[in-house]
Amino acid sequence: MEKKVNKYTVIKVVCQIISLILIPGLFVDSFNGIKAFIDAIRLGDYASLPLTLLPTVLLIVVSAIFGRFFCGYMCSFGAIQDFFHYLGSKIFKHRIKRMPEKVDHYIKYLKYVVLVTILIMWCFGVSLPEFMDPWTAFGSIIAWNITSPTTVSLDLAYTFTNLWLGTSIMLLIFIFSIFVDRFFCRYLCPMGAIFTLVSKFRLFKIKKDREVCGACRLCTSTCKMGIPLYQYDEVNSGECIDCMKCVHVCVKDNAKCELVNKSAPEAIAAIAAAVTIGLYYVGNLSVNTILTNQNNITEVVEIGSTSTINKYIDGTYTGSGTGYHNATTTVSVTISNDKITSITTVSTGDVAQYYNRAFSTITSEIISSQSTSVNKVSGATFSSNGIISAVNDALSQALRS
Ligand code: SF4
Ligand code: SF4
């Protein structure tokens, strides 16, 4: 029988709620860091890479030490699954208590298939279309803005029409998570796959002496990630999300936390989460300021030869488009020798967090390809749309009649 509400469970839920409010898009941001890395190599543009990669590197380093604590304490997608699973425990009496061990073991490999597929697509410059991306759908519903937490976007009409497939997949994931704890995290999440790999050799572990255990297997049946704890004296699995349920449920106080083989407090994963939330929040505000300054600097690309197509009239044109939260973005586009040579922001009401991330990638790609048919920045698709449509608007004025 599980003990009454443990104070560390309360701390975990508080961390999840704070993360959901302050940094709901961090799991997308961290995954996009990988895409930014691939794009930088693909396009040979490393200018904004260090800043974009920051959350990814921070989380990977801390996960290598403490394990998949991000998933347990900080991921908004994980938190919502926890909420649905809790709801299910109150509504449905007969649920799958535990997936059959072999089935669980093999379907867990699916997330690596998802990860490798996405990485291959990114290597070829292909992104998941936004209408079928469940994370984009989730982001469009839960859109608290880090720089203005009171701003909430609830453009449900857009979410259920333009993003219909992603929204349907997202809803299916939440429905499945009612019945199988952390369904998406166990079987499908590509970021979870990365965290599983990097936390395989974590220094923070849960240890339990099997000889003391007896046959109760309470920890195994409670584990949120379906880890067969009864088989181990220490949890080496990269799947462990540091939820501490196995520690709390043990009636013999046999499951204990260790850091580098020394006894460690249970609160350590929560402390790691709190420090990372703080670092990310403060760091992200600074990054946004730097990116805003960078974006205000005119981006000029020298294009050598004179065009023979003669499509545009040289000059500087201003165009507007609608970005995130229906905000208007206005850009200035300079045409020289029939080429787009510079794109700068005139003004934008878009959310800085997303706009800044999209701007340099989108404008670099437009200038290098001389086309507005470029990939949107995943996780900042609405801001990308605003920038692209603003450039298109400016270009329409530059066209020779
Ligand atoms: S596995 Fe993915 S969705 Fe689940 S908590 Fe981790 S990052 Fe979030
Ligand atoms: S129950 Fe224990 S082993 Fe399972 S995920 Fe939570 S902390 Fe890790």
Side-chain angles (χ1 to χ4, degrees):
M1 169 94 50
E2 191 168 349
K3 291 173 191 171
K4 282 208 169 142
V5 181
N6 182 287
K7 66 179 174 193
Y8 295 114
T9 307
V10 176
I11 295 174
K12 180 172 100 61
V13 173
V14 169
C15 284
Q16 287 182 299
I17 293 171
I18 292 174
S19 300
L20 189 61
I21 294 169
L22 289 184
I23 46 176
L26 180 54
F27 70 113
V28 179
D29 286 352
S30 43
F31 197 44
N32 281 335
I34 316 268
K35 180 173 190 292
F37 182 69
I38 293 172
D39 282 347
I41 296 172
R42 208 168 48 81
L43 302 169
D45 177 6
Y46 301 92
S48 58
L49 184 62
L51 296 176
T52 319
L53 213 49
L54 203 68
T56 317
V57 172
L58 175 69
L59 289 177
I60 286 180
V61 169
V62 187
S63 300
I65 300 169
F66 294 104
R68 247 172 106 175
F69 79 101
F70 171 81
C71 301
Y73 295 75
M74 294 175 64
C75 178
S76 49
F77 214 74
I80 299 286
Q81 288 174 79
D82 281 351
F83 171 73
F84 274 95
H85 194 70
Y86 174 77
L87 210 64
S89 71
K90 299 289 162 204
I91 298 170
F92 300 104
K93 287 223 164 68
H94 304 290
R95 292 183 309 160
I96 306 170
K97 280 271 182 307
R98 194 168 149 74
M99 282 290 273
E101 217 163 286
K102 277 219 165 116
V103 177
D104 181 76
H105 175 78
Y106 287 112
I107 340 177
K108 273 178 176 155
Y109 286 107
L110 258 182
K111 59 180 173 289
Y112 299 107
V113 176
V114 174
L115 174 66
V116 171
T117 308
I118 292 176
L119 291 182
I120 292 172
M121 284 168 65
W122 284 351
C123 287
F124 287 97
V126 180
S127 293
L128 200 65
E130 71 178 29
F131 81 96
M132 61 183 295
D133 183 349
W135 279 357
T136 301
F138 183 69
S140 81
I141 292 176
I142 300 205
W144 285 290
N145 173 7
I146 199 163
T147 53
S148 165
T150 49
T151 308
V152 181
S153 167
L154 259 176
D155 192 351
L156 290 178
Y158 185 88
T159 307
F160 281 93
T161 51
N162 294 39
L163 308 177
W164 66 273
L165 186 52
T167 306
S168 310
I169 296 172
M170 179 193 73
L171 291 176
L172 269 181
I173 288 167
F174 290 150
I175 290 169
F176 279 123
S177 68
I178 289 176
F179 302 99
V180 180
D181 211 353
R182 292 287 185 128
F183 173 82
F184 182 72
C185 308
R186 284 190 198 195
Y187 307 129
L188 296 171
C189 179
M191 196 62 218
I194 293 173
F195 286 139
T196 302
L197 293 174
V198 297
S199 63
K200 184 92 188 121
F201 304 103
R202 49 195 270 165
L203 304 176
F204 176 69
K205 288 178 181 164
I206 290 160
K207 290 222 173 175
K208 49 179 262 307
D209 185 350
R210 270 181 295 173
E211 285 189 1
V212 181
C213 282
C216 81
R217 293 192 181 182
L218 257 180
C219 54
T220 300
S221 57
T222 314
C223 179
K224 287 184 81 63
M225 298 299 287
I227 301 166
L229 282 120
Y230 70 92
Q231 295 178 5
Y232 311 116
D233 285 316
E234 72 172 30
V235 179
N236 278 324
S237 169
E239 299 285 347
C240 171
I241 59 168
D242 292 342
C243 71
M244 298 297 143
K245 279 202 148 208
C246 54
V247 176
H248 303 153
V249 81
C250 179
V251 285
K252 295 182 179 175
D253 278 336
N254 187 29
K256 299 258 184 335
C257 302
E258 283 194 358
L259 182 64
V260 203
N261 295 326
K262 296 247 164 27
S263 172
E266 271 176 56
I268 209 157
I271 293 168
V275 171
T276 313
I277 292 169
L279 279 177
Y280 178 78
Y281 190 72
V282 173
N284 200 47
L285 291 180
S286 322
V287 166
N288 276 328
T289 311
I290 297 169
L291 285 174
T292 302
N293 292 338
Q294 275 182 1
N295 290 343
N296 286 338
I297 297 169
T298 306
E299 187 164 350
V300 177
V301 172
E302 287 300 326
I303 307 212
S305 62
T306 308
S307 167
T308 51
I309 299 171
N310 233 5
K311 187 175 173 190
Y312 299 119
I313 303 166
D314 283 1
T316 299
Y317 303 87
T318 303
S320 297
T322 304
Y324 188 59
H325 223 305
N326 289 326
T328 302
T329 288
T330 304
V331 298
S332 169
V333 178
T334 301
I335 308 282
S336 175
N337 290 332
D338 202 29
K339 300 277 188 189
I340 306 163
T341 56
S342 137
I343 302 168
T344 53
T345 303
V346 175
S347 65
T348 183
D350 208 311
V351 176
Q353 182 191 3
Y354 303 115
Y355 185 82
N356 289 332
R357 206 173 61 221
F359 186 84
S360 59
T361 307
I362 294 286
T363 53
S364 298
E365 288 205 27
I366 290 176
I367 290 171
S368 64
S369 65
Q370 291 295 306
S371 162
T372 50
S373 300
V374 293
N375 286 324
K376 288 151 200 163
V377 174
S378 178
T381 45
F382 303 104
S383 304
S384 305
N385 283 339
I387 297 163
I388 293 168
S389 53
V391 173
N392 275 330
D393 184 29
L395 291 178
S396 67
Q397 300 162 43
L399 282 174
R400 285 184 193 281
S401 45

